[in-house]
Amino acid sequence: MRAAPSLRGCACLLLPAILDLARGYLTVNIEPLPPVVAGDAVTLKCNFKTDGRMREIVWYRVTDGGTIKQKIFTFDAMFSTNFSHMENYRKREDLVYQSTVRLPEVRISDNGPYECHVGIYDRATREKVVLASGNIFLNVMAPPTSIEVVAADTPAPFSRYQAQNFTLVCIVSGGKPAPTVYFKRDGEPIDAVPLSEPPAASSGPLQDSRPFRSLLHRDLDDTKMQRSLSLLDADSRGGHSYTERPSRSLTLDPSIPLQPTTENIPETVVSREFPRWVHSSEPVYFLSHSHTPGSDGTVEVRALLTWTLNPQIDNEALFSCEVTHPALSMPMQAEVTLVAPKGPQIMMTPSRARVGDTVRILVHGFQNEVFPEPMFTWTRVGSRLLDGSAEFDGKELVLERVPAELNGSMYRCTAQNPLGSTDTHTRLIVFENPNIPEGTEDSNGSMSGPAGIRLTLVLALTVVLELT
């Protein structure tokens, strides 16, 4: 009498098992992959185990946060008997299969989730399909494509008596994920104080909260600035500047060899006088980073190294920016050497200037490699420039329609960057222009030459005759 309930319980337990047996079993998983580098060949492997008959295999690429699934591979057993894409790496009776999808040259745009969907026929009826799926996230890395070091807020002037902050910017582009950026000085890593935000260019000298790292020792009482030994110091040498006695004759003597348009003054004065406060045993560096995501999934990293510049010890110092990244076998590097300008090389066109020509005076190089980019200021010694201005900022000075009065005039070019300043001088020599007839107006609008004198005499004679 008590056996009946036991049989009913056994029947209840066996029923789900019988249904599962009729339905069949199916398990799917995708083999995990480590991060891959853009450009490599990648194979996605989907392993599945079943005791049923294969219906289909579908691979999807998931985009837009999972809202869109793009079908990249399909195998349909109803219309194909080709099993070459599957590798039966166990015995056939084990019913364990592997479906693979190969990406021959993976790109950054291939980064994202992928899904493998497998379907088998229900063992009870072929009208029903049992489905299972597995997923994987393909992480595609990309090494940085470019690196460069620039100076912030340039061009900037040289400051002899006021401390100024200086910033090097290392720009690294094209990396995914963001690379690690650090600086070295003369081959040695820089121990920098991290900053959340870069300091403003107009802010005062930077201070370190750590002890015994003071940078500035200000003592300006006995600081003297030496006078430059340029042609401007004519008074101190008891002489006169060349612009006080310009040449009065513009006629070219055939017996005299052709002279150049300008006379290069050999004295180039480099301003290297520094006050005592710039002396320091150990600079204090501050480092900040910024990350800017790109539309292609890469990240642009800007690392800013800021410190209070000391021209005495920073001139000719070698700074390098180095980058490490999981996709790089060795660090990337970019180097710059801080150098003050020295020996500007001036070129003038035309090579033989005549009255009425447009003269261009250009700085086309230096005796050394200069970094950061210098700024240029032109002045005329003892007078204003042709347009009436006191000075002109730019690499090229243009003198429109030079008059005869500029013959013998001297021009000063000051080239400077935060490391130092240098002055160089050149003299303009203007020759008579035979293409301009006598009596042509000069820069002041008056008649010049003998024709002007004859016209004045004729006018005076006419006035006398009318009066009589």
Side-chain angles (χ1 to χ4, degrees):
M1 296 297 293
R2 296 181 179 179
S6 177
L7 290 175
R8 286 197 301 269
C10 292
C12 294
L13 293 174
L14 290 174
L15 184 59
I18 294 172
L19 294 175
D20 289 341
L21 185 62
R23 186 183 300 114
Y25 68 91
L26 174 63
T27 60
V28 179
N29 68 84
I30 302 180
E31 293 186 8
L33 281 175
V36 298
V37 180
D40 291 350
V42 176
T43 300
L44 304 178
K45 299 179 180 181
C46 178
N47 300 320
F48 53 96
K49 184 177 181 179
T50 180
D51 62 351
R53 293 186 60 185
M54 179 67 59
R55 173 62 179 87
E56 66 177 359
I57 303 173
V58 182
W59 280 89
Y60 293 97
R61 181 191 171 196
V62 183
T63 59
D64 292 341
T67 59
I68 299 178
K69 292 185 179 181
Q70 178 186 359
K71 188 181 296 186
I72 61 175
F73 174 80
T74 300
F75 170 78
D76 194 329
M78 293 183 61
F79 302 99
S80 175
T81 58
N82 182 14
F83 287 83
S84 61
H85 70 287
M86 297 195 302
E87 298 180 9
N88 189 351
Y89 58 86
R90 295 186 183 180
K91 295 181 180 180
R92 182 72 180 182
E93 56 267 21
D94 289 340
L95 300 175
V96 177
Y97 304 94
Q98 184 180 80
S99 175
T100 60
V101 171
R102 187 173 185 270
L103 305 177
E105 189 173 345
V106 69
R107 298 171 296 181
I108 297 179
S109 58
D110 295 326
N111 185 87
Y114 291 78
E115 293 182 357
C116 173
H117 292 243
V118 179
I120 63 170
Y121 286 110
D122 193 314
R123 301 183 81 180
T125 172
R126 291 180 60 89
E127 296 179 357
K128 294 183 179 181
V129 177
V130 179
L131 298 176
S133 64
N135 61 80
I136 186 176
F137 190 93
L138 181 61
N139 186 4
V140 182
M141 300 186 303
T145 56
S146 66
I147 177 175
E148 65 172 335
V149 179
V150 298
D153 305 314
T154 57
F158 171 66
S159 178
R160 182 178 288 107
Y161 293 109
Q162 182 178 3
Q164 59 179 341
N165 297 334
F166 185 76
T167 300
L168 287 177
V169 184
C170 182
I171 306 173
V172 185
S173 304
K176 177 185 176 298
T180 301
V181 184
Y182 56 94
F183 285 89
K184 289 184 178 180
R185 173 170 177 156
D186 298 326
E188 297 295 330
I190 294 177
D191 181 18
V193 180
L195 289 179
S196 57
E197 294 182 1
S202 58
S203 61
L206 298 174
Q207 300 294 334
D208 186 8
S209 59
R210 297 177 297 184
F212 309 109
R213 295 292 298 275
S214 176
L215 176 65
L216 301 179
H217 303 280
R218 296 179 178 272
D219 186 2
L220 304 179
D221 295 340
D222 57 351
T223 301
K224 305 286 185 182
M225 182 181 71
Q226 301 177 4
R227 297 195 64 183
S228 173
L229 299 179
S230 66
L231 294 175
L232 300 181
D233 298 330
D235 295 339
S236 63
R237 298 190 302 209
H240 299 278
S241 63
Y242 288 94
T243 54
E244 292 179 0
R245 293 184 297 173
S247 176
R248 297 186 179 182
S249 175
L250 300 180
T251 305
L252 180 62
D253 189 348
S255 62
I256 300 178
L258 184 63
Q259 299 294 326
T261 302
T262 61
E263 176 186 353
N264 291 325
I265 309 303
E267 293 185 6
T268 298
V269 181
V270 181
S271 300
R272 302 294 296 169
E273 308 92 0
F274 304 104
R276 288 176 55 184
W277 60 259
V278 300
H279 291 277
S280 173
S281 59
E282 184 179 5
V284 180
Y285 298 96
F286 298 84
L287 183 64
S288 62
H289 292 85
S290 65
H291 298 74
T292 304
S295 58
D296 58 353
T298 61
V299 180
E300 180 187 89
V301 178
R302 290 179 176 247
L304 285 72
L305 183 70
T306 304
W307 73 101
T308 303
L309 193 69
N310 186 338
Q312 275 188 311
I313 65 175
D314 291 332
N315 190 53
E316 299 185 357
L318 174 65
F319 286 85
S320 61
C321 172
E322 296 193 4
V323 173
T324 58
H325 191 273
L328 292 174
S329 58
M330 60 185 301
M332 292 178 66
Q333 178 177 292
E335 296 180 343
V336 293
T337 301
L338 304 186
V339 181
K342 181 180 179 182
Q345 300 173 3
I346 295 181
M347 178 179 65
M348 181 176 291
T349 55
S351 58
R352 177 183 170 87
R354 296 180 179 182
V355 175
D357 288 348
T358 296
V359 177
R360 300 177 181 272
I361 310 176
L362 172 69
V363 179
H364 68 93
F366 294 88
Q367 295 178 1
N368 57 345
E369 294 290 336
V370 179
F371 183 88
E373 176 188 2
M375 61 185 302
F376 304 90
T377 304
W378 292 90
T379 55
R380 180 182 174 186
V381 179
S383 182
R384 289 183 171 269
L385 296 174
L386 184 59
D387 61 358
S389 60
E391 61 182 26
F392 172 78
D393 294 329
K395 198 172 184 179
E396 182 183 50
L397 176 65
V398 179
L399 304 175
E400 300 280 354
R401 300 174 58 187
V402 294
E405 286 74 11
L406 289 186
N407 182 50
S409 59
M410 186 176 296
Y411 295 87
R412 178 200 303 111
C413 175
T414 301
Q416 57 183 323
N417 68 5
L419 278 303
S421 173
T422 179
D423 293 341
T424 190
H425 300 77
T426 187
R427 188 190 305 280
L428 175 63
I429 300 175
V430 183
F431 295 90
E432 186 180 50
N433 192 345
N435 297 325
I436 299 179
E438 294 182 354
T440 303
E441 292 184 358
D442 58 15
S443 59
N444 296 324
S446 60
M447 301 297 293
S448 61
I453 298 175
R454 290 195 298 271
L455 180 58
T456 303
L457 293 176
V458 171
L459 291 176
L461 181 60
T462 303
V463 172
V464 171
L465 291 176
E466 290 178 355
L467 292 175
T468 57

